[in-house]
Amino acid sequence: MFASRVARQAFRQTPRMMRPIPKEEQAAHTVSQRLRMRIKTIPAELWPLGVVVGFAVSAAIYSITRHLVVDKTIRLKRQNRAADSHALHAEHDEKH
C-alpha cells in the first residue's frame, strides 16, 4: 500500500497553469508599441544610471573626436616612410 501511494505521487501529471497561453510578442504590434512595452519593463532605479552612463559615453566620444580633429601633432598615419625605413636599417646596422 505504501509503495503504490509513493508511485502514484511520483508519476502524477503536472498541474495546469491557471493563466492562459501567452500570445506571440510581435502579434499585431508596431515597432514603437513594442519599444514602449520593453521600456516599461526597465526598473525605475536604473534610469538615472542609464542617463549617467549615456552622458559619459557621449562625452568620451566627443572628446576623442575633438582631440583627433583639432590636434595637428598627432600622426594618424605613417609619414615619410623612406626616412623611417632608413632609420630602421641604421639602427639594425649599429646593433650588429
Side-chain angles (χ1 to χ4, degrees):
M1 182 170 128
F2 180 71
S4 63
R5 191 172 77 190
V6 171
R8 272 186 284 157
Q9 286 179 349
F11 294 109
R12 67 178 179 197
Q13 291 182 348
T14 56
R16 285 192 153 178
M17 296 291 191
M18 294 304 219
R19 53 186 168 221
I21 298 171
K23 296 179 182 177
E24 289 184 26
E25 279 187 37
Q26 300 178 4
H29 290 294
T30 62
V31 174
S32 61
Q33 287 174 331
R34 280 186 245 145
L35 286 175
R36 261 187 265 138
M37 288 189 317
R38 297 272 185 190
I39 288 174
K40 287 180 183 179
T41 61
I42 298 173
E45 296 87 10
L46 294 181
W47 283 106
L49 180 65
V51 170
V52 170
V53 169
F55 177 77
V57 168
S58 62
I61 291 171
Y62 169 77
S63 177
I64 192 68
T65 303
R66 185 173 179 275
H67 185 65
L68 293 174
V69 170
V70 173
D71 193 358
K72 299 300 179 191
T73 61
I74 296 177
R75 284 179 38 174
L76 297 176
K77 55 188 171 194
R78 290 186 176 182
Q79 299 168 346
N80 199 2
R81 295 188 95 182
D84 286 346
S85 66
H86 180 39
L88 180 65
H89 290 301
E91 284 181 19
H92 183 68
D93 291 338
E94 287 176 7
K95 287 181 184 176
H96 294 288

